[in-house]
Amino acid sequence: MNAKTAARSVARPLRVSTMSWLLRPRALLVALTSAAALFLLMALNMRIGDIPMTLADVVAATFGDTQNTFIIMELRLPRALAGALIGAALALSGAITQAIARNPLASPDVLGVTQGASVTVVAAIVFSGTAYGGASGLLATLGIPVLGLLGGLAGAVIVYAFAWRRGLEGYRLVLVGIGIAAVFTNLKYWLLTVGDVHDSSRAMVWITGSLHARGWEHVVPVALALAVLLPAALLGTRSLGALRFGDDTVTGLGVRMNRARSAMLLIAVLLAAVATASAGPVAFVALAAPQIALRLAGTAQPPLVVSALVGAVLTAGADLVARTLFSPAELPVGVVTAVLGAPYLIYLLVRIRRERRT
Amino acid sequence: MRLQAIDVKLGYGDRTIVNGLDLGIEAGTVTTIIGPNGCGKSTLLRALGRLLKPMGGQVLLDGKRIDQTATKEVAKILGILPQAPTAPEGLTVADLVARGRHPHQSWYRQWSSDDESAVAEALDMTGLLDLAERPLDELSGGQRQRAWISMALAQGTDLLLLDEPTTFLDLAHQVEVLELVRRLHGQAGRTIVMVLHDLNLAARYADRLVAMRDGRVVAAGAPHEVLTEELLLQVFDLDAKVIPDPVAGTPLVVPIGTRHLPDRGTAAKETVST
């Protein structure tokens, strides 16, 4: 084998005068396939509802003006989009967190975001039951996402403050994150037990992660966050690759380590906080999607765009299952993401180990 | 002077390890820092490579303050191989070496033909072309160390700092790595600073030795000037004979015993009784 192909076997260089990029054909293929799967899953999701529709009805109503257009545009499309975007944001956040923590088992859960949001929302529902109940629906839709966002960010600040010691170190971050998540989790359960039964059960649905009745007001914040933060994350991809090495190696390669790490961490926190604010803490997507993307694309680190697409597919697929399995009853999507994602990740791990052996 | 430490104070947290040290590294030389465990040699090397910020004094790289130069610019001039470096699991040799090109890349310059030729050359120089696609964790200790040196080479700097590049290697692999270092020096006149534990190998492969104890430079100069029986006693508390190396003619240390313990006789008895 000659050194030219040896140096980067999974990537092809594309060079225009002094500029050069790396193209990864396999990652590109996985991205396109995931995008196609995502559209199909979203369309299948949009068939479901009080008025049954065929796939053709859905497509016609989305891109044209039919009798179903109002239902599609105001109810079903926002819900499907919310699922896809939340999945993408969580997966992207997970991919960044895993790179910074140098640990494939890390997820935004260790950044304090999900548990911080959960405690805040549960506290709000339990302590001011009626204010967030059915009677004042407007407050419910406006209040809970904003509270979730603030709680998530506060949780992240607490973890960051405890994890920082003359710099930011991955292992310390994970340990501090796990500790603080445990405190938040217990606080959350305590709130659930002292709260009124009806309030607690409503809080339970939120902290499992649900896409039920998600509308444009849930889609827009996540879409905006992704529009700003995805390009920012992509600009940081190269330093993210370097951050997987030991601290001295990272600095030796000319990366401003603490600045790069803090900036990428901020992106991960914001993505997770916004996604959690919209749908509650949807479990497992942030953990599994980057690892699934990594194995499908055959790259050395979770590819950011592919991770986001896989996260969207996983969430959209989980929502479809959640709505059809016990139809017309509906499961919270967070229950299904874990049940769906875990076996698939295990399957990929087993298959790749077998490939290596043969 | 390529690198200069001026009155540097180094340490971690409240602990000061090096206080008021001056050292200059001349262009085109191989300098080896020796000294007992905990004397501050690695700390000094880390400060020279801007991995550790001095608490006082300053480090100059080519006459300019290293802490006021952008770290990416420093990385184009100076390559550093840390002690016992760690790489992500499953990384191939080629991926590791390609990572050395980091300071020369940006989002619109991800893999230039310069990158490609520098990596190929670095793999070739370290004899790793055939192992390029192998995962790093499947290599032997000596091969892995060569891969890390190869990464530092791909960085394309003519100033290299190596922190104990021979740790955990058997003697044959130690010699192999040091011969590679010598070759790198010979080919392009690279300036190399190393920390080594083996005094005889240090004497054989360095132009200049720097002996440290308790955070101070005790002696610096050509190996035969530095590696004397008096110095060994002073720096290592070691009673030793120094004879000419029958192969290279450089000083060869033959240890007699240590003076770490006040009385060897009673110390031996104490060990027996406990």
Side-chain angles (χ1 to χ4, degrees), chain B residues 243-263:
Chain B
I243 56 170
D245 182 326
V247 177
T250 48
L252 182 73
V253 177
V254 184
I256 299 168
T258 72
R259 290 196 186 170
H260 279 307
L261 301 166
D263 182 337

Side-chain angles (χ1 to χ4, degrees), chain A residues 1 3-4 6-9 13 15 18-22 238 241-242 244-246 248-249 251-256, chain B residues 46 50-51 71 75 82 86 88 91 94 96 99 102-103 105 107-113 116 120 129 133 151 155:
Chain A
M1 174 186 311
K4 286 187 177 182
R8 282 293 168 95
S9 54
R15 298 198 178 111
T18 60
M19 297 193 280
S20 57
W21 291 272
L22 279 175
R238 283 177 359 90
R244 293 160 68 239
F245 288 79
D248 282 356
T249 310
T251 310
L253 287 173
V255 177
R256 291 174 68 181
Chain B
R46 296 186 74 232
R50 57 90 172 79
L51 299 184
T71 182
T86 53
L91 198 79
L96 176 72
R99 186 57 66 182
H102 190 93
Q105 298 170 331
W107 67 270
Y108 57 85
R109 208 184 143 86
Q110 296 183 347
W111 192 241
S112 67
S113 38
E116 202 163 288
L129 275 178
E133 286 305 294
M151 168 179 151
Q155 211 173 317

Side-chain angles (χ1 to χ4, degrees), chain A residues 8-28:
Chain A
R8 282 293 168 95
S9 54
V10 292
R12 303 262 170 284
L14 171 73
R15 298 198 178 111
V16 182
S17 77
T18 60
M19 297 193 280
S20 57
W21 291 272
L22 279 175
L23 296 181
R24 296 185 170 77
R26 189 168 151 193
L28 199 65

